[in-house]
């Protein structure tokens, strides 16, 4: 089973920055896609960004130009650089890995942006 561990969340003022990291345990299967989702209280979990082993990326429209996802394939680690943070970004951020057609999730890290 793949284990994912997130770090880097915290409390910042609007306009500030945070960098999230997620490290995955090794698997016999290729980790095809790694990404970040977030979930605010009372809302559904939503995709923020993801990245393939080839470096193709997807971003939610709300974070384009502000967030950057990157990946270290050799270490199965994914990062999310979050700049120009807005109060609307406040949520629990979950790391996700797609392995052999199955999704695996981290336990989440809280990001709070004050106005």
């Amino acid at each position: 089973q793949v284990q994912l561990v997130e770090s880097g969340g915290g409390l910042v003022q609007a306009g500030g920055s945070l960098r999230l990291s997620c490290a995955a345990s090794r698997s016999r299967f290729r980790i095809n896609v790694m990404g970040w989702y977030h979930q605010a209280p009372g809302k559904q979990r939503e995709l923020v960004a993801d990245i393939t082993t080839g470096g193709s990326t997807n971003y939610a429209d709300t974070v384009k130009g502000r967030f950057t996802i990157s990946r270290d394939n050799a270490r199965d680690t994914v990062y999310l650089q979050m700049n120009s943070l807005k109060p609307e970004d406040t949520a629990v951020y979950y790391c996700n890995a797609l392995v052999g057609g199955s999704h695996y999730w981290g336990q989440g890290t809280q990001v709070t942006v004050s106005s």
Side-chain angles (χ1 to χ4, degrees):
Q1 183 176 349
V2 176
Q3 292 180 302
L4 303 173
V5 180
E6 305 105 329
S7 62
L11 173 64
V12 297
Q13 193 172 49
S17 298
L18 286 172
R19 188 178 191 237
L20 306 183
S21 299
C22 173
S25 63
R26 286 177 289 182
S27 172
R28 66 179 293 270
F29 300 103
R30 174 178 293 177
I31 302 178
N32 304 107
V33 184
M34 297 188 73
W36 292 93
Y37 290 68
H38 68 193
Q39 185 170 23
K43 297 183 179 180
Q44 297 181 17
R45 189 172 299 184
E46 298 178 328
L47 174 69
V48 177
D50 60 26
I51 184 168
T52 69
T53 55
S56 297
T57 58
N58 291 300
Y59 293 94
D61 288 340
T62 54
V63 307
K64 287 181 179 178
R66 300 188 297 121
F67 292 7
T68 302
I69 190 168
S70 60
R71 179 174 179 172
D72 183 343
N73 290 329
R75 297 183 177 182
D76 289 329
T77 302
V78 66
Y79 308 92
L80 186 68
Q81 179 66 45
M82 303 185 292
N83 298 326
S84 301
L85 282 161
K86 303 176 179 179
E88 306 94 273
D89 298 318
T90 296
V92 177
Y93 283 71
Y94 294 91
C95 182
N96 172 267
L98 179 62
V99 184
S102 298
H103 286 277
Y104 295 85
W105 299 93
Q107 58 265 42
T109 184
Q110 177 70 46
V111 171
T112 302
V113 184
S114 62
S115 61

